[in-house]
Amino acid sequence: MGVPLWLVVVTAGKSQGEALSPDLSPPSRWHLWENLAQVWQQGEVPMAFLGSLLVVAPSVLLVLTFGSMASWILARRASRLNAVLYALAISGIVLPPAVVTIVLLLRQLGLAGSPVGMIGVYVGIYLSTVIFFVTGFVRTVPVSLEEAARMDGAGPVRVFFSVILPLLRPVLATATILICLYVWNDVFYAFFVVGGRLDTLPLNLFQVANAGLYLNNWHLIFAYVILMSLPLLIVFAIAQRRIISGITGGAVK
């Protein structure tokens, strides 16, 4: 992990001439801040950052909400039908989506090239991951807590949001980081669904590199990578304990 991280940092800190052949040697003089400032101004990073937020925030919120609701039902109602539904729900982890079919379906629905269509794609793709993590965690929650809430007159919706959802914070923190990582860095699905109509950070880097702005400017490309990765690195550093506890409390159990 340290070697590629060091390669990104030292290349982003070099001049254009030194960065023509990226290697692990440090620069003769650091230009990191100058390169970051140049990328921020010329690469339209603020607009691409807003575009990424426009897609990531609703996608994560919806996939966590629907995934945790489905996980609660699948974990509590033991039947052959639910066992089959659970197997189908988590099959999305190993079965790749059909990109051509997705694009054609979005065109038929009038959602191709729109943020709503892209959000729907991400929710459908990563719902399996959330169900896989959260279902195992829900099974460790005592049923007596739900029974006590029902005896006090709480309905299913109230039981879920007042009792179950607060207990899911560790595993939801894990799922949040994983889904954010997938969606934030995605360029493949975004290119086919919203390419050219909405700029996200990976799409913007792809476009400016192809346009020749960063041609042979590896120091600027790696500087862009640092800017693109910095928000997730900060969130991961803060929430790493919750991530580990969520994995051990959910998927492992």
Side-chain angles (χ1 to χ4, degrees), residues 143-162:
V143 182
S144 57
L145 297 176
E146 302 175 30
E147 295 174 346
R150 292 193 182 97
M151 291 179 63
D152 290 337
V157 177
R158 182 68 181 274
V159 170
F160 175 77
F161 284 101
S162 299

Side-chain angles (χ1 to χ4, degrees), residues 79-202:
S79 65
R80 291 183 178 180
L81 177 60
N82 278 347
V84 173
L85 292 176
Y86 176 73
L88 290 176
I90 66 174
S91 64
I93 299 177
V94 295
L95 297 178
V99 180
V100 176
T101 305
I102 291 175
V103 174
L104 293 177
L105 178 60
L106 291 176
R107 287 180 180 176
Q108 293 294 327
L109 297 175
L111 298 176
S114 68
V116 176
M118 193 69 258
I119 292 169
V121 171
Y122 286 138
V123 171
I125 291 175
Y126 299 119
L127 197 62
S128 298
T129 304
V130 177
I131 292 176
F132 175 70
F133 278 103
V134 179
T135 301
F137 193 90
V138 172
R139 289 171 179 162
T140 66
V141 177
V143 182
S144 57
L145 297 176
E146 302 175 30
E147 295 174 346
R150 292 193 182 97
M151 291 179 63
D152 290 337
V157 177
R158 182 68 181 274
V159 170
F160 175 77
F161 284 101
S162 299
V163 178
I164 300 300
L165 194 59
L167 297 175
L168 298 180
R169 289 177 182 175
V171 69
L172 289 182
T174 303
T176 299
I177 298 300
L178 292 177
I179 303 304
C180 283
L181 178 65
Y182 298 151
V183 178
W184 188 269
N185 293 327
D186 176 66
V187 65
F188 182 75
Y189 297 108
F191 178 78
F192 287 100
V193 177
V194 296
R197 299 175 181 88
L198 176 70
D199 261 352
T200 62
L201 287 171

Side-chain angles (χ1 to χ4, degrees), residues 200-211:
T200 62
L201 287 171
L203 275 181
N204 188 53
L205 175 60
F206 176 77
Q207 291 168 3
V208 297
N210 280 346

Side-chain angles (χ1 to χ4, degrees), residues 20-93:
L20 286 177
S21 300
D23 53 38
L24 299 177
S25 61
S28 57
R29 190 174 74 86
W30 285 90
H31 301 271
L32 181 59
W33 295 114
E34 295 91 332
N35 294 338
L36 291 175
Q38 183 177 351
V39 169
W40 183 270
Q41 295 172 1
Q42 298 181 1
E44 299 182 358
V45 174
M47 292 300 298
F49 181 80
L50 292 177
S52 291
L53 284 181
L54 181 63
V55 173
V56 171
S59 299
V60 172
L61 180 61
L62 290 174
V63 77
L64 291 181
T65 302
F66 293 146
S68 57
M69 287 180 174
S71 300
W72 181 45
I73 300 299
L74 293 173
R76 287 292 186 250
R77 298 184 180 180
S79 65
R80 291 183 178 180
L81 177 60
N82 278 347
V84 173
L85 292 176
Y86 176 73
L88 290 176
I90 66 174
S91 64
I93 299 177

